[in-house]
Amino acid sequence: MPKVRTFAAKLAHASAGKRKAVCPVCNTEMTTIKVIRNRHKDCKWSPKKEVVQICKCNEKEILG
């Protein structure tokens, strides 16, 4: 009989090996977010999706 795995167990197993990134400047944990910015090219506006790491150093620049 196979082992029953819930979604929570799968998520815990997937995230167990990952280390959290720490900012070398302010020594706080960095969080990853997806930012959508507008770009203007050939007289058209289009969204540009970026994955950005945020800490206390650059929080005001990106979110502000």
Side-chain angles (χ1 to χ4, degrees):
M1 189 167 188
K3 182 177 166 182
V4 177
R5 292 186 66 189
T6 62
F7 177 72
K10 289 179 183 178
L11 184 63
H13 177 67
S15 64
K18 295 182 182 177
R19 292 186 176 175
K20 296 183 179 180
V22 176
C23 177
V25 178
C26 64
N27 201 21
T28 59
E29 181 182 335
M30 299 177 81
T31 58
T32 305
I33 64 167
K34 184 181 277 188
V35 178
I36 301 174
R37 297 182 180 169
N38 293 328
R39 69 175 162 191
H40 188 257
K41 184 176 182 183
D42 299 330
C43 297
K44 296 180 183 176
W45 291 96
S46 62
K48 181 180 179 185
K49 298 176 184 174
E50 298 176 357
V51 177
V52 180
Q53 299 234 342
I54 293 182
C55 67
K56 296 215 177 206
C57 300
N58 60 359
E59 183 178 25
K60 291 182 181 178
E61 297 172 4
I62 295 173
L63 298 178

